[in-house]
């Protein structure tokens, strides 16, 4: 990542530039969300507003899918909140780099702290301030937050525009085309990308079986129960895997 | 769901998500998160997507129905194969939708 310049705008534009290539991946998800939201019966204005309020692609697709399945507000809220829990990890990861900033900057950057913006911004922070964990203050004239802002702004703008494009496009698709099926298809695609390790496979399998076992629970609360059971299975399998690795090392010795 | 209820739901999810994002850079001083939180977060997405997909394919009106002549599970199977081979989200959606139309025509 070459430095465009040592000015605020230079850093901001460098953030925009480095974030831009990721938008090729973001765009289809935003459109899919917009199309799916209309098919799930969301008013278009609210679907667009949700992209600003929630601003988290996976959670928004999950909300759409659960609305399609006629789930109640409580299970949808619980599932989406659980899915977004990972942002606490991102928040902890960037904390040392932004703690010296005024509160208004931290409030703004927190809003923009999404998967894709985090991924680009943290790389830059790690390369420019590798010794941050020593508790040293930020170097004078540190402009890393402008770079972060550029990343976040680019993603935010692309997310809003791709949502709008999906809403416009979705309005032209007749309901008998079953376009809402594209959302579970997306989950299938993401699952194949995510399921590289045993523990994740255990979590997914148990959650899928749980969704069938608890199907009769009202308001689709069975989905929440199934996901929680899947998490228990996943964490259990991770621990077992770690122990197996440790045992293996002992055998090696 | 009524529109006011949906607005309330989205606001609630938005506020919770924002608090997550702001938590460690504005609310709490400790940066050392427990290891189990990392392990948990790794599994949340696979568990959620799997539960929702299984439900979309096999649950109708609160009842489980596994029928050989239902087009969606077969289309999902084709999509899963394409996803596994190509690792492309767009190819998966394209193949899955095409398979759905085909199976709806055939079955």
């Amino acid at each position: 990542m070459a430095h465009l310049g040592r000015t605020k705008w230079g850093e901001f534009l460098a953030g925009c530039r480095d974030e831009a290539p990721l938008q090729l991946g973001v765009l289809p998800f935003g459109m899919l969300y917009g199309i799916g939201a209309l098919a799930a019966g969301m008013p278009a204005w609210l679907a667009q507003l949700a992209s600003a309020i929630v601003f988290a692609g996976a959670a928004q697709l999950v909300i759409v899918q659960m609305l399609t399945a006629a789930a109640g507000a409580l299970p949808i809220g619980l599932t989406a909140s659980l899915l977004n829990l990972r942002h606490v990890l991102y928040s902890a990861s960037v904390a040392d780099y932004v703690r010296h900033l005024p509160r208004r900057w931290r409030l703004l950057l927190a809003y923009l702290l999404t998967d894709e913006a985090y991924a680009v911004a943290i790389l830059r922070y790690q390369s420019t301030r590798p010794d941050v964990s020593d508790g040293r203050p930020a170097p004078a004239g540190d402009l890393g937050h402008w770079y972060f802002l550029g990343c976040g702004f680019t993603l935010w703008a692309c997310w809003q525009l791709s949502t709008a494009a999906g809403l416009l496009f979705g309005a032209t698709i007749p309901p008998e085309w079953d376009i809402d099926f594209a959302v579970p298809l997306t989950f299938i695609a993401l699952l194949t990308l995510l399921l590289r390790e045993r523990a994740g496979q255990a979590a997914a399998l148990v959650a899928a079986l749980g969704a069938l076992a608890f199907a009769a629970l009202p308001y689709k609360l069975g989905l929440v129960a199934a996901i929680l059971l899947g998490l228990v299975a996943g964490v259990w399998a991770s621990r077992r895997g770690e122990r197996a690795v440790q045992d293996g090392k002992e055998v090696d010795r | 769901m009524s529109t006011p209820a949906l607005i309330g739901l989205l606001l609630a999810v938005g506020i919770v998500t924002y608090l997550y994002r702001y938590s460690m850079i504005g609310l709490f001083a400790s940066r050392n998160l427990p290891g189990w939180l990392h392990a948990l977060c790794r599994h949340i997405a696979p568990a959620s997507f799997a539960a929702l997909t299984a439900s979309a394919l096999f649950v109708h009106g609160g009842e489980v129905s596994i029928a050989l002549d239902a087009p969606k599970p077969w289309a999902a199977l084709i999509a899963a194969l394409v996803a596994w081979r190509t690792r492309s989200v767009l190819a998966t959606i394209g193949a899955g939708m095409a398979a759905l139309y085909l199976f709806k025509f055939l079955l």
Side-chain angles (χ1 to χ4, degrees), chain A residues 55 81 84 103 107 177-178, chain B residues 17-18 20-21 101 104:
Chain A
F55 189 32
S81 300
N84 279 342
R103 180 173 294 270
L107 287 167
W177 283 19
D178 285 315
Chain B
T17 304
Y18 184 78
Y20 289 154
R21 289 170 171 158
Y101 299 145
K104 276 187 125 180

Side-chain angles (χ1 to χ4, degrees), chain A residues 29 186-197, chain B residues 46 49 83-84 86-90 92:
Chain A
F29 282 106
T186 308
F187 294 153
I188 290 172
L190 294 176
L191 272 172
T192 56
L193 296 176
L194 288 170
L195 293 185
R196 292 206 198 110
E197 42 160 8
Chain B
F49 296 158
W84 179 54
T86 65
R87 304 202 147 259
S88 153
V89 177
L90 285 181
T92 304

Side-chain angles (χ1 to χ4, degrees), chain A residues 137-151:
Chain A
D142 172 59
L143 293 172
H145 48 296
W146 284 93
Y147 181 88
F148 190 166
L149 182 66
C151 297

